[in-house]
Amino acid sequence: MSVLKITGGRSLEGSLRVQGAKNSALPLLAASVLTEGLSVFRNCPRLTDVAATVDILRHVGCRVYGEGDALYVDASGPISPEVPDELMGRMRSSVIFLGALLSRCGEVSLSLPGGCELGPRPVDLHLLALRALGAEVTEAGGRLCCRCARLRGGRIDLPSPSVGATENAMLAAVRARGNTVITGAAREPEIRDLQEYLRSCGALVTGAGSSVIRIRGVEKLGGGEKRIMPDRIAAATYLAACASAGGRVRLYDACPGDMVPVLQALRGMGCELRTGENLIMLERRGPLRSPGPVITRPHPGFPTDAQPPLMAAVLKAQGTTVMIETIFESRYRHVPALRSMGADIRTAGKTAVIRGVERLRGGEVHASDLRGGAALAVAALAAEGETVISGTEYMDRGYEDMAGALTALGAEACSE
Ligand code: EPZ
């Protein structure tokens, strides 16, 4: 089992190209089964979640190959509507194949998805969307079975802006008969990326990025092309790393426009930030201070995925920081490990209260999930001595070569 070793107490100095976005790559790859042609995805990140998605694509009948940072998916052959439980269980976003395979095959049978344990993660809104387009949905024994010879356009009112349910609704609607309107849609930038790809395949979809998405169904989609957007959560993590350790870093191929609340929080902590179109430079020389209350919200609010890394960056900040996690019920599983490094954190339900401490100490800690693991790395950079992080298989799901990235930024880090 590999571990990530980080020796703290050294300020950062360096630059890093931001990887392609996991949370865009996964729905894009699932969407490719809708098309009867060859799709090309550039800037595709090398992650275990991407590899798991490719395994599903190959299992249902797609030809998939890579060249450089591009992934090619040929979905022109026959597609089977069945995915083994083992593949479904590897990650949450496998559920996006529900809408895509139902639309392509007229039926689909899947087990409930796996993924990071962040509290209950129901799929009721995904099923609400498919039923609104005429699908017959049965849920029994942990299996989801959906049937509909041809979905028909309709109105989907999402009571809360679920990212996954919005994506599933879009994938089910683009080949439905007639018009669909999705209200209460998620506004995350990754939804915009999905719209751009679907349009490159001939879909008629507008409104992504707003809470109302409109789709006119078409009979068929051809192959398409998409350069995957930069990963705003990976960027937030590496900026938090620099805030935590001190120093100066430059992130290029970034997307500052999609990270406004994260950059605001970092400025509030005393970091100097300069941005260009695809560039973010952060410098932290003086003492860290609390950014004030941080409340996670759907986009354009503060992203829940950046909560753990940012929490780790405020552990030594002057003052007290209150964090409120409104998206997931159990997203403080990284807290005990941070406490074992000397952090002062109290949690009660959705709220965490972090009192800044003078010192953190290295040690042996275990990652509890993807972003929780990133938080341990961020804290380790500000700790005295060496930290050995196990459970790195979680981080490999969403970060391309984290040890290499931290080393490029001037940290003393290696994976073994
Ligand atoms: C996406 O997950 C991301 N994953 C998550 O990132 C991210 O945390 C989340 O959106 C919120 O921004 C991918 O894009 C692959 P949701 P998703 O449906 O689609 C509840 C990471 O670290 N809900 O928007 O699963 C749900 O329980 C991951 O990269 C229902 O109640 O998130 C949660 O409390 C973790 N019923 C809230 O909505 C439903 O049918 C938001 O979930 C669906 C969701």
Side-chain angles (χ1 to χ4, degrees):
M1 190 172 64
S2 76
V3 295
L4 175 60
K5 288 188 175 178
I6 295 174
T7 302
R10 174 168 154 171
S11 61
L12 302 188
E13 188 75 44
S15 60
L16 179 71
R17 191 190 78 81
V18 177
Q19 62 179 68
K22 167 181 84 80
N23 292 347
S24 177
L26 303 183
L28 286 173
L29 290 169
S32 67
V33 293
L34 284 169
T35 76
E36 300 181 32
L38 180 66
S39 291
V40 191
F41 300 104
R42 299 187 197 289
N43 197 30
C44 191
R46 294 172 202 283
L47 306 169
T48 52
D49 273 10
V50 168
T53 306
V54 168
D55 288 347
I56 295 179
L57 288 170
R58 289 194 172 123
H59 181 87
V60 299
C62 298
R63 209 164 53 84
V64 186
Y65 54 96
E67 254 167 55
D69 76 347
L71 209 56
Y72 293 76
V73 181
D74 183 348
S76 55
I79 298 291
S80 112
E82 180 270 325
V83 180
D85 298 2
E86 187 274 321
L87 292 181
M88 284 301 294
R90 285 203 214 155
M91 62 188 167
R92 164 80 185 184
S93 78
S94 53
V95 72
I96 309 291
F97 279 94
L98 199 61
L101 288 173
L102 176 61
S103 173
R104 176 73 191 256
C105 309
E107 61 170 332
V108 59
S109 159
L110 303 173
S111 65
L112 286 169
C116 288
E117 283 172 34
L118 307 174
R121 299 183 81 178
V123 294
D124 55 321
L125 301 179
H126 298 249
L127 305 184
L128 172 152
L130 300 182
R131 286 191 174 107
L133 301 185
E136 205 189 293
V137 180
T138 51
E139 217 186 322
R143 283 202 82 72
L144 301 168
C145 297
C146 306
R147 258 175 209 288
C148 187
R150 173 114 195 247
L151 294 158
R152 64 170 193 281
R155 188 185 169 90
I156 301 169
D157 298 319
L158 293 175
S160 68
S162 154
V163 174
T166 302
E167 292 164 345
N168 245 328
M170 289 168 78
L171 299 192
V174 282
R175 292 181 58 164
R177 193 192 306 278
N179 298 328
T180 295
V181 58
I182 308 169
T183 69
R187 301 170 56 193
E188 270 66 8
E190 293 77 14
I191 308 267
R192 238 186 15 236
D193 241 25
L194 182 59
Q195 171 175 288
E196 282 168 29
Y197 165 65
L198 291 169
R199 286 160 74 120
S200 81
C201 303
L204 304 173
V205 47
T206 57
S210 80
S211 52
V212 179
I213 296 175
R214 294 179 195 280
I215 299 167
R216 173 171 303 169
V218 296
E219 192 83 29
K220 243 178 154 186
L221 292 174
E225 176 143 0
K226 180 76 183 87
R227 185 175 195 282
I228 296 171
M229 65 174 282
D231 195 313
R232 60 197 170 100
I233 306 300
T237 303
Y238 295 121
L239 294 174
C242 187
S244 172
R248 184 178 51 185
V249 297
R250 183 171 161 275
L251 301 186
Y252 57 98
D253 212 356
C255 51
D258 293 327
M259 301 174 63
V260 174
V262 170
L263 302 184
Q264 263 164 5
L266 290 162
R267 280 198 180 94
M269 290 160 67
C271 301
E272 262 182 58
L273 276 151
R274 272 177 293 141
T275 60
E277 200 188 334
N278 307 314
L279 191 66
I280 306 173
M281 288 192 286
L282 182 146
E283 186 160 4
R284 205 272 291 165
R285 300 289 179 200
L288 270 179
R289 53 178 189 267
S290 164
V294 175
I295 305 172
T296 66
R297 296 208 188 283
H299 192 85
F302 188 93
T304 170
D305 300 340
Q307 175 261 99
L310 196 90
M311 177 188 282
V314 299
L315 298 178
K316 290 173 70 175
Q318 292 164 346
T320 300
T321 305
V322 176
M323 294 187 112
I324 303 179
E325 173 56 58
T326 70
I327 307 291
F328 291 108
E329 276 182 28
S330 159
R331 196 155 213 182
Y332 291 138
R333 298 174 63 229
H334 46 285
V335 167
L338 293 176
R339 282 200 196 111
S340 76
M341 297 171 75
D344 179 348
I345 311 171
R346 289 149 218 244
T347 60
K350 295 177 185 295
T351 306
V353 178
I354 304 109
R355 279 203 181 84
V357 295
E358 288 288 314
R359 303 174 47 222
L360 292 172
R361 53 182 182 273
E364 292 191 6
V365 287
H366 186 74
S368 52
D369 54 59
L370 164 59
R371 308 302 173 184
L376 303 184
V378 169
L381 292 163
E384 288 160 10
E386 184 180 69
T387 300
V388 180
I389 306 172
S390 55
T392 53
E393 61 280 7
Y394 285 114
M395 287 122 96
D396 296 340
R397 300 187 51 191
Y399 296 95
E400 236 181 33
D401 182 17
M402 184 176 265
L406 291 172
T407 307
L409 294 175
E412 202 178 324
C414 65
S415 63
E416 281 181 13

